[in-house]
Amino acid sequence: MDASTIRLSSQLLPLPAISLRRTATHKHNRFLSASSLGHVQTKRFNLEDGGGVPRAQKFDEAAFEAERLRLDAAARESMAESSKRDDVEGDPKAWKWVIRKRIWDLMEARNFAQNPRPVHHRIPNFVGAAAAAQKMAQLEAFQGAQCVKVNPDSPQKQVRLLTLTGGGGKKLLTPQPRLRTGFFSVLNASMLTPSTIHEACTSVGVAKYGRPIGLDEKIKVDLIVIGSVAVDPKTGARLGKGEGFAELEYGMLRYMGAIHDSTPVVTSVHDCQLVDDIPMEKLLIHDVPVDIICTPTQVIFTNTPIPKPQGIYWDKLSPEKLGQIRVLRDLKRRIQQETGQVLPTGPSEKLPPTASRRRR
């Protein structure tokens, strides 16, 4: 593969106090040394709550879908509120919402969008998504991958299907939507039948047919596919829909030892989602760049100069976000118990009442 990535040291936990902006210098001293982490770096935690494999139980498809839709609606409301709060002069995140809104408005105005619509506050399902997926399937990195992690959004459904049906016995690793109803699930074609394989590519199907895994799972991911709202083909800088779950998923995979700096990151988008105004100097340390972009008309190798995140940045996670994602709460608690260190917590964020969930 011609794409290049920045190779960094593999330390997993960032220092509590670090710069929020990316810089090209002194990047290695942002992380605790491997010796200071000791045995924690290779410790596998069996997280029985959230991160572990749940006990076998009858799958309630209707209840799962109802809860997924409820959380989806609540999350979109939360993002809409967040975009209003951040859209003020001088706010460090305002520029992201300007670009997102421009792309969402453009896709709706020109009818480049497919259902679910409107595409605002979503990874937009775009016209030609299947064609972009076919181009991705022709990549050497895809064809040679034994395990492909694919986001659960609508425009990447065909990528999930091609992973399962493309031959070679590939494993499909898919996160539960927003990590709130579970963690990751693994599927392969041998677990399915011709009548269930299409359903298995949906959010409900992943939960219904997939094998849930925990953070102690020994798995190697060869290719990461993420959705995007906007991406710069010259730098690989990417914007998601604003929730940060792609970054959390990437960080957890780094923690598990499932991926490393040179694991290719690919996105599929409409050509209108290609932009040239994402300033690299304003990206945060946990933002995930992409190595390859597939559109309905072209494949772009970005040769991104942007460093890949090295793990989970606890000082960026608000108490509210931790309250929504059980696996992260348990992971943080276990790391603190194991290291004797108190991990930092990010600033608080206000969430609409419908987006809040009680801790269990």
Side-chain angles (χ1 to χ4, degrees), residues 107 112-116 119 122-134 136 150-162 201 225-229 241 267-270 273 294 296:
M107 297 186 76
F112 292 150
Q114 300 188 105
N115 287 328
V119 294
R122 304 180 191 271
I123 296 297
N125 191 16
F126 58 93
V127 173
Q134 289 291 345
M136 190 181 298
V150 187
N151 57 297
D153 300 284
S154 296
Q156 282 72 45
K157 181 180 178 181
Q158 185 69 13
V159 177
R160 298 191 292 275
L161 180 62
L162 291 172
C201 297
V225 180
I226 57 178
S228 302
V229 174
K241 60 180 178 288
T267 192
S268 58
V269 295
H270 192 276
Q273 294 174 256
C294 296

Side-chain angles (χ1 to χ4, degrees), residues 254-328:
R254 287 297 295 247
Y255 170 80
M256 294 168 67
I259 60 173
H260 43 76
D261 283 335
S262 60
T263 303
V265 179
V266 190
T267 192
S268 58
V269 295
H270 192 276
D271 290 88
C272 77
Q273 294 174 256
L274 302 177
V275 302
D276 61 2
D277 58 345
I278 300 179
M280 285 197 301
E281 68 276 9
K282 290 186 177 181
L283 294 177
L284 304 183
I285 195 170
H286 59 271
D287 287 329
V288 179
V290 301
D291 301 297
I292 309 173
I293 304 168
C294 296
T295 80
T297 66
Q298 59 186 317
V299 173
I300 303 167
F301 293 84
T302 69
N303 296 306
T304 180
I306 303 169
K308 300 277 178 64
Q310 298 296 291
I312 298 171
Y313 296 89
W314 301 102
D315 58 334
K316 309 299 181 292
L317 287 174
S318 69
E320 292 82 6
K321 183 71 76 174
L322 283 173
Q324 293 172 341
I325 306 173
R326 195 171 189 176
V327 62
L328 285 176

Side-chain angles (χ1 to χ4, degrees), residues 9 34 44 83 144 146 174 197 231 284 286 306 343:
S9 59
R44 294 290 187 267
S83 66
Q146 291 302 302
T174 302
I197 199 162
V231 61
L284 304 183
H286 59 271
I306 303 169
L343 296 175

Side-chain angles (χ1 to χ4, degrees), residues 76-94:
R76 289 200 308 276
E77 179 184 341
S78 175
M79 285 186 288
E81 290 291 329
S82 178
S83 66
K84 292 176 183 177
R85 292 195 306 271
D86 295 337
D87 191 16
V88 295
E89 186 176 356
D91 189 284
K93 294 183 289 184

Side-chain angles (χ1 to χ4, degrees), residues 5 32 43 47 72 89 110 116 147 161 164-165 176 180 183 194 217 235 237 265 274 280 298-299 306 358-359:
T5 58
L32 294 176
K43 177 73 174 176
L47 304 181
D72 186 61
E89 186 176 356
R110 298 194 179 180
C147 179
L161 180 62
L164 293 173
T165 61
Q176 289 300 316
R180 296 184 187 176
F183 185 45
E217 182 87 8
T235 66
V265 179
L274 302 177
M280 285 197 301
Q298 59 186 317
V299 173
I306 303 169
R358 293 180 300 174
R359 295 189 180 194

Side-chain angles (χ1 to χ4, degrees), residues 136-149:
M136 190 181 298
Q138 296 169 11
L139 293 173
E140 180 180 345
F142 184 92
Q143 294 179 353
Q146 291 302 302
C147 179
V148 183
K149 182 265 182 185

